[in-house]
Amino acid sequence: MTGTGTLLAKVVGSEHVLTEDRVPEEYGHDESLAAVARRPRFVVRPASAAEVSGVVAVAAAQQIPVTARGSGTGLSGACVPGADGVVVSFERMNRVLEIDTDNHVAVVQPGVTLAELDRRTAEFGLCYPVRPGEQSASVGGTIGTNAGGMHAVRHGVTRHHVLGVEAVLASGAVVRTGGKYVKTSTGYDLTQLIVGSEGTLAIVTEAVLRLKPRAGHGATVLAPFATAEEIARAVPRLLAGGLDPLALEYVDMLTMAAMTAQQDLGLGIPEQLRATALGYLVAVLEARSADRLEADVETLGGQLLDLGAADVYVLPAAAARQLIEARERAFWAAKSAGADEVVDIVVPRASLPQLLAEADVIARSSGSIITGCGHAGDGNVHLAVFQPDEKLRDEVLRRLFRAGVDLGGAVSGEHGIGTTKKRYFLELEDPAKVELMRGIKRAFDPDGILNPGVLFD
């Protein structure tokens, strides 16, 4: 073991340091379709914040880049390490430390998966309401990208539920921000700077998460529409009608076909209707009582028909569960179909019709196929781009991102910038804002050792 490896072994134990050719391939990539994998020089598996601090101190002294890694389920290349760097893997820091039922918070380590957190909170009738598509994702990873998901239309995204963190700075210092309280007017909000920073400002070693009571009753409603634009125009009117859906999802015809085929899922929609519906709206309702849920479903059904839905289907529980699981795994359906890239542009939800229309123009003019689904309730659309020519695909992506920005949106709604969207982000974002962000990065990490190459060059 090299000198650096020996120093790292003194911090975490030699059995928890992997070096050079002993590093498994999986530590060099996430699930991004476009990121170039790189095997790091070292992987360390710490068991505490003190050990993370020691690892970062070693790296800082030798100017070695450090990349934090959770479950590796990201889609933007944000945890792809430097070839000469250290990956800090949180597979050993995977405990739920506390479920505080009085304050409705959970205190967790970053390696805890969302599935495990959901299982533990369910024991107390509570839930962590952030639900991105992959339940094997780690809490630390979702904090890094400010993950969203289907429940964001009601509950918001990760940053709305992170009340505080323990984090290791680039110097190796350990700091705590926030706590078990829901508001503060005390200086800069360092918690919210760290959330969504993709491991470039600090390494989170513990998080205080806000929990919500679990609803006792739920229903899933499926409504086919003649066009995607009709769906996009219906969403603001539905939300203005007084209902508060847990999820409001748009799925286009091709994506629905791929999802249902992959899951071997029959939804009871007549063939004639499936042949003419170019898009579907999936609405999930929850309520504390069966009577309230029934009334809400009836109201929603009437609203959907008034807004142009060809029909309305209240799905049986098993079919509803399968459909939501299929929607959560839409990325994998796109990947198996041969998609070259999947992007997650966000715009004001009232601008979704224009974005979808522009995506159609871009697809036709470039000879590409662009299909998708998205969180219609919050304007975040996921588009799978099928264009094997790399140069042409680069132009397609640039045009899509430009369309989103021009409509008042942003390059990414929840996957993050990582390495794969960096050049578009730097090209399309306000230069003054980018320079301000660079200044924040320098303040937190003056030597640039934390996840270099992510967000900035």
Side-chain angles (χ1 to χ4, degrees), residues 151-272:
H151 296 181
V153 64
R154 175 186 283 185
H155 292 299
V157 296
T158 298
R159 71 168 65 258
H160 300 125
H161 301 278
V162 179
L163 299 178
V165 298
E166 175 189 75
V168 175
L169 303 180
S171 64
V174 180
V175 298
R176 282 190 174 272
T177 71
K180 293 183 179 182
Y181 45 84
V182 297
K183 61 182 179 180
T184 179
S185 296
T186 310
Y188 297 133
D189 194 336
L190 299 177
T191 302
Q192 294 306 317
L193 273 176
I194 292 170
V195 175
S197 65
E198 302 187 46
T200 63
L201 300 184
I203 297 177
V204 173
T205 52
E206 187 176 295
V208 181
L209 306 176
R210 190 176 189 176
L211 304 178
K212 296 291 183 76
R214 284 183 182 258
H217 304 271
T220 299
V221 176
L222 177 65
F225 281 78
T227 68
E229 288 74 20
E230 284 183 334
I231 294 175
R233 290 190 172 91
V235 167
R237 292 168 175 80
L238 285 174
L239 293 172
L243 293 178
D244 188 19
L246 179 67
L248 204 53
E249 296 290 300
Y250 151 72
V251 185
D252 73 12
M253 174 183 65
L254 292 176
T255 304
M256 180 64 81
M259 283 165 41
T260 54
Q262 190 176 60
Q263 294 277 71
D264 192 23
L265 174 59
L267 297 173
I269 301 174
E271 176 61 33
Q272 182 179 359

Side-chain angles (χ1 to χ4, degrees), residues 258 286 313 457:
E286 282 190 343
Y313 300 86
D457 294 320

Side-chain angles (χ1 to χ4, degrees), residues 8 11-13 16-17 43-56 67-69 86-94 109-111 168 203-205:
L8 294 172
V11 177
V12 300
H16 298 300
V17 178
V43 171
V44 297
R45 299 181 293 212
S48 67
E51 290 187 358
V52 175
S53 172
V55 167
V56 173
T67 298
R69 181 183 176 88
V86 178
V87 165
V88 177
S89 174
F90 285 112
E91 56 208 89
R92 294 174 67 212
M93 294 179 65
N94 61 356
Q109 293 182 314
V168 175
I203 297 177
V204 173
T205 52

Side-chain angles (χ1 to χ4, degrees), residues 121-132:
T121 55
E123 298 171 7
F124 300 91
L126 299 170
C127 71
Y128 178 60
V130 179
R131 191 182 177 105

